[in-house]
Amino acid sequence: MLKIKNINAYYGKVHALKNVSLHLNRGEIVTLIGANGAGKTTLLNTLSGIIPAAGGEILLEGKGIVGLAADRVVSLGLSQVPEGRQVFNPLTVEENLELGAYLRYRSGGQKEEIAGDLERMFQVFPRLKERRRQAAGTLSGGEQQMLAIGRALMARPKLLLLDEPSMGLAPLVVQDIFKVIQRLRSEEGTTILLVEQNARAALKIADRGYVLETGKVILEGKAAELLENKDVQRAYLGRD
Ligand code: ATP
């Protein structure tokens, strides 16, 4: 589904990604773990075309996407839920969701499917349904995260990139978000790349994981194996 080969990214002289290679099989949940500043967000932004990749190759279903504009990447089936959610505060819940389908509206002819998807989002996220006419800025943090995920799903992505979905949320809300992520994979078949500080929770729902350190992949493996790995435990899992 996604293959990244030797990509690099720079911010001026800062070499933020160093020959990163990884892949995602269809229907997998893969997590990317690493300390602050390891390059996780940079990697997601490179995939979605927000930051240019310098060298290397990114193949989405076999098609090279390096150098494509971000909206083109979305229309090819990759959607990102950015760190910090970034919903459109003054707009209603429903309007935020509709904006997620903007490229589908623009390409025309999908009005009924989009309306159906909106109802589907309200089934997946019943709290959003109750608040459909409420301004997004007045939602709780957890509700805003649900909305940000729902908005990304309105583009009907094959691959969903989630950047720190648990950030700043209470533990019970985090559990809800992780349940939603699992449902998206099992019910919608969405392939998911999950960036998380909360490495333990992420590894528990993931199939595989990659550990990023100062812009390099230093370890990869099955999630269950990474959970048992002593170095990973020491550096990223803390105590239970
Ligand atoms: P966090 O968990 O804190 O979000 P991260 O793993 O997502 O961290 P990135 O945000 O990808 O890390 O940052 C990787 C490196 O690139 C860091 O050293 C960071 O300081 C640097 N960096 C990120 N954005 C910029 C920028 N706009 N300009 C310059 N350097 C940047």
Side-chain angles (χ1 to χ4, degrees), residues 74-92:
V74 173
S75 60
L76 288 173
L78 184 152
S79 290
Q80 181 171 4
V81 181
E83 192 172 353
R85 311 186 261 277
Q86 300 176 25
V87 294
F88 299 104
N89 287 335
L91 302 185
T92 65

Side-chain angles (χ1 to χ4, degrees), residues 11-12 14-17 34-43 51 83 163-164 167 195 197 212:
Y11 297 103
V14 178
H15 193 177
L17 293 179
N36 289 115
K40 304 180 299 294
T41 299
T42 303
L43 180 61
I51 293 176
E83 192 172 353
D163 198 352
E164 306 267 5
M167 187 169 358
V195 162
Q197 289 272 332
L212 207 59

Side-chain angles (χ1 to χ4, degrees), residues 84-85 140-142 145 164-171 173-174 196-198:
R85 311 186 261 277
S140 73
Q145 186 62 61
E164 306 267 5
S166 75
M167 187 169 358
L169 302 180
V173 181
V174 173
E196 257 298 334
Q197 289 272 332
N198 190 342

Side-chain angles (χ1 to χ4, degrees), residues 175-189:
Q175 276 182 25
D176 283 348
I177 300 276
F178 276 80
K179 276 188 205 139
V180 164
I181 296 170
Q182 286 176 292
R183 271 183 68 189
L184 291 179
R185 183 261 287 277
S186 61
E187 290 175 22
E188 319 274 329

Side-chain angles (χ1 to χ4, degrees), residues 3 13 21 34 105 196 201 213 223 237:
K3 211 173 211 148
K13 289 201 179 108
S21 295
Y105 277 117
E196 257 298 334
E213 217 172 85
L237 300 182

